[in-house]
Amino acid sequence: MKTSLNVPFDFQRCWSEVKHLGKGSSSISSDVSSSTDHTPTKAQKNAATSEDSDLSMRTLSTPSPALIFPPNSPGFQNGRGSSTSSSSVTGETVAMVHSPPPTRLTHPLIRLASKHQKEQANIDRLPDHSMIQIFSFLPTNQLCRCARVCRRWYNLAWDPRLWRTIRLTGETINVDRALKVLTRRLCQDTPNVCLMLETVIVSGCRRLTDRGLYTIAQCCPELRRLEVSGCYNISNEAVFDVVSLCPNLEHLDVSGCSKVTCISLTREASIKLSPLHGKQISIRYLDMTDCFVLEDEGLHTIAAHCTQLTHLYLRRCVRITDEGLRYLMIYCTSIKELSVSDCRFVSDFGMREIAKLESRLRYLSIAHCGRITDVGIRYIAKYCSKLRYLNARGCEGITDHGVEYLAKNCTKLKSLDIGKCPLVSDTGLEFLALNCFNLKRLSLKSCESITGQGLQIVAANCFDLQMLNVQDCEVSVDALRFVKRHCKRCIIEHTNPAFF
């Protein structure tokens, strides 16, 4: 029977011991295969072939720390994680798989440890649940390191509760291989299925391809969150597979994936679904920022399949027009946050469509949509009375009249950006100050018609103001001091060297 030790838990000390032992164990590895991105020599090809055959012979596997760290990262400095292979480490680092470590470590540095040093390793006295709690704060790469310290840590590090999330970063790592090895190990107890894995974040891993997404789609049916921001090599087909095979997926970030033009089910998945299902996708959060080739037809398909959307970001999707927004409002009536910033073809007609969301809309960004005027703002102000956030920076057609409509109807507004709107003056600020008392953030950057008088009116009425941007505005030092005196928690962003 195990008994818990009544000793005080020093988290900081145990954490340092985790890091120390993790670093020491990383040098035990001698099976890291290194290759270059250039054309390999014949000898290197043979070495790779032998390593692949060795890989297939092993049954119980643990991803190496080199799976995560590129060769030039800090984790591979000073000989840590170095390979015994004779090939030079100049390119990608490919992880091999290893059998579980022995019960006792055989590293010569650890064998030389004195008895006194061993007695100071208080972390070995912690119960399993405390160790698992500590491991829960480690990123994926460090968790793989800990799995190689000893057999006990191996078993604890692969506890399914620690693998609800996989987070990989780095432009040079072979992320396709990393996902394959990790999912293979996580499927050991439940063949071919990772039941516990719910989140995969590989943003910025530019070497991710469709192969990596296929691995996720086939092995992670319980996936709920996927972030592949900046992975520009993935295509529509791989995304279709993920959303078709992961029915619980709710959060999808494909921003910067320029080849993605649509979100839909695969044809096979559509055929298998019953009529009652309606061929719907459960995604609620979708970020398609910088998907430059997304057009109205693609947005139409997205809207028809993703009817449960509540958060949609289409920043810099420059081919979207008012027609695409019309499709969106037909199917997606539950949207709370919407961004069409820098969509230069969106106009007041698009605002009329967005206004159909009525009180459900809380966040709207229309920055740099030059075709939007007071007419579009009036639609939003009239029907979206519970709007909390509006970014209209660079909409030069907005005047004091538009600000007046907004202030009188959206009285719960907390954040407003009307920077670079040269037609907004102190009159518009007065309407804001007298109606929007809960205003916390206000940006007036480069508003040429704003003076200190308008700022003083705002400061005298909006006591909860926390951020004020008046950069490139002709505002006196006295006005800025007045704001600081009345809104004590307010951070003022300005370009007046006399005020500090």
Side-chain angles (χ1 to χ4, degrees):
M1 180 181 298
K2 294 184 179 180
T3 58
S4 59
L5 298 174
N6 296 323
V7 294
F9 178 63
D10 189 344
F11 183 84
Q12 189 68 29
R13 182 173 182 178
C14 291
W15 176 256
S16 64
E17 290 180 3
V18 169
K19 294 172 67 177
H20 174 72
L21 290 175
K23 291 179 180 178
S25 65
S26 65
S27 61
I28 301 175
S29 173
S30 60
D31 54 5
V32 178
S33 169
S34 302
S35 61
T36 64
D37 289 333
H38 305 289
T39 304
T41 62
K42 186 175 182 180
Q44 290 172 330
K45 284 186 177 180
N46 294 335
T49 304
S50 64
E51 288 170 351
D52 289 340
S53 62
D54 183 47
L55 174 66
S56 62
M57 293 295 292
R58 306 184 184 183
T59 55
L60 191 58
S61 61
T62 303
S64 165
L67 177 71
I68 311 302
F69 278 122
N72 57 354
S73 69
F76 274 75
Q77 302 297 326
N78 303 325
R80 300 174 190 165
S82 60
S83 172
T84 58
S85 173
S86 59
S87 60
S88 60
V89 184
T90 57
E92 69 174 64
T93 301
V94 181
M96 302 298 288
V97 293
H98 320 280
S99 57
T103 305
R104 294 187 178 182
L105 293 173
T106 59
H107 193 274
L109 293 180
I110 297 180
R111 287 204 304 268
L112 294 176
S114 65
K115 182 178 180 180
H116 177 68
Q117 290 173 329
K118 292 181 180 178
E119 290 177 352
Q120 289 183 341
N122 291 331
I123 193 166
D124 292 334
R125 303 167 61 189
L126 292 176
D128 288 352
H129 66 85
S130 296
M131 292 291 294
I132 291 176
Q133 183 179 1
I134 294 174
F135 285 169
S136 67
F137 294 98
L138 295 176
T140 301
N141 55 349
Q142 295 296 336
L143 202 53
C144 290
R145 285 180 180 272
C146 289
R148 309 195 59 214
V149 172
C150 64
R151 183 172 293 274
R152 183 194 179 208
W153 282 33
Y154 174 87
N155 294 328
L156 292 176
W158 287 107
D159 188 291
R161 290 170 291 182
L162 297 175
W163 290 95
R164 297 182 184 277
T165 300
I166 290 179
R167 185 188 300 269
L168 302 176
T169 57
E171 298 182 0
T172 60
I173 68 169
N174 190 340
V175 66
D176 291 345
R177 179 66 179 277
L179 291 172
K180 182 178 180 180
V181 175
L182 287 171
T183 52
R184 180 188 301 171
R185 176 57 183 82
L186 294 174
C187 292
Q188 185 172 320
D189 297 329
T190 53
N192 302 323
V193 178
C194 303
L195 293 178
M196 298 299 293
L197 189 59
E198 297 181 350
T199 301
V200 175
I201 301 175
V202 288
S203 298
C205 297
R206 298 184 178 181
R207 298 186 61 184
L208 177 71
T209 64
D210 289 351
R211 185 179 302 175
L213 286 191
Y214 291 147
T215 300
I216 295 173
Q218 294 168 2
C219 299
C220 309
E222 298 299 322
L223 191 69
R224 296 181 179 275
R225 180 181 183 128
L226 176 63
E227 295 185 14
V228 291
S229 173
C231 303
Y232 49 75
N233 289 317
I234 65 174
S235 64
N236 283 343
E237 289 72 19
V239 176
F240 291 176
D241 278 338
V242 172
V243 298
S244 299
L245 298 177
C246 303
N248 296 322
L249 187 66
E250 296 181 347
H251 182 116
L252 179 61
D253 183 353
V254 291
S255 57
C257 301
S258 55
K259 294 182 181 179
V260 177
T261 62
C262 186
I263 305 294
S264 177
L265 295 170
T266 59
R267 185 175 182 181
E268 294 79 6
S270 299
I271 294 174
K272 292 179 181 178
L273 291 175
S274 64
L276 294 177
H277 188 279
K279 301 181 181 180
Q280 302 303 313
I281 300 174
S282 58
I283 293 177
R284 298 178 182 274
Y285 179 106
L286 178 60
D287 191 344
M288 298 193 70
T289 298
D290 293 323
C291 292
F292 306 113
V293 292
L294 176 64
E295 297 181 345
D296 290 341
E297 191 61 32
L299 187 57
H300 185 185
T301 304
I302 292 172
H305 286 84
C306 306
T307 57
Q308 301 181 42
L309 278 175
T310 58
H311 297 70
L312 178 60
Y313 305 95
L314 304 172
R315 306 179 188 95
R316 292 180 291 279
C317 294
V318 293
R319 300 186 183 183
I320 295 297
T321 69
D322 297 331
E323 186 67 11
L325 294 179
R326 187 178 70 83
Y327 293 141
L328 188 64
M329 296 309 133
I330 291 175
Y331 299 100
C332 304
T333 58
S334 301
I335 292 180
K336 297 179 181 179
E337 296 191 10
L338 176 64
S339 175
V340 290
S341 297
D342 296 283
C343 297
R344 59 178 180 270
F345 294 119
V346 173
S347 67
D348 292 334
F349 293 103
M351 294 298 98
R352 182 180 62 182
E353 298 299 327
I354 294 175
K356 293 178 181 179
L357 293 172
E358 298 179 344
S359 60
R360 293 179 292 276
L361 187 64
R362 303 299 175 90
Y363 172 107
L364 177 63
S365 179
I366 52 175
H368 305 289
C369 294
R371 300 189 179 189
I372 295 178
T373 66
D374 288 341
V375 176
I377 296 298
R378 188 167 187 172
Y379 279 120
I380 298 298
K382 182 177 180 180
Y383 295 102
C384 304
S385 58
K386 293 186 178 181
L387 192 68
R388 300 290 192 274
Y389 175 100
L390 177 64
N391 183 358
R393 174 176 293 192
C395 297
E396 298 182 353
I398 297 178
T399 69
D400 290 332
H401 294 293
V403 176
E404 179 183 357
Y405 298 141
L406 189 67
K408 290 183 176 181
N409 292 275
C410 302
T411 56
K412 296 183 179 180
L413 200 66
K414 292 185 177 181
S415 179
L416 177 64
D417 189 341
I418 47 176
K420 297 184 180 180
C421 295
L423 301 180
V424 175
S425 66
D426 293 342
T427 304
L429 292 187
E430 184 176 355
F431 287 116
L432 277 177
L434 298 178
N435 294 277
C436 301
F437 303 109
N438 296 321
L439 199 63
K440 295 182 182 297
R441 302 175 65 89
L442 178 62
S443 179
L444 305 170
K445 182 178 181 179
S446 301
C447 288
E448 303 169 356
S449 303
I450 296 296
T451 67
Q453 182 179 355
L455 292 185
Q456 290 178 357
I457 297 175
V458 171
N461 292 273
C462 303
F463 302 108
D464 293 332
L465 197 65
Q466 297 177 4
M467 195 284 294
L468 176 65
N469 188 340
V470 288
Q471 294 177 340
D472 301 319
C473 295
E474 296 295 331
V475 180
S476 65
V477 175
D478 292 337
L480 295 177
R481 289 174 178 169
F482 184 91
V483 173
K484 195 63 178 177
R485 187 163 57 251
H486 285 75
C487 304
K488 299 185 182 301
R489 294 187 299 171
C490 183
I491 298 175
I492 304 176
E493 299 179 10
H494 62 93
T495 52
N496 192 329
F499 177 75
F500 54 89

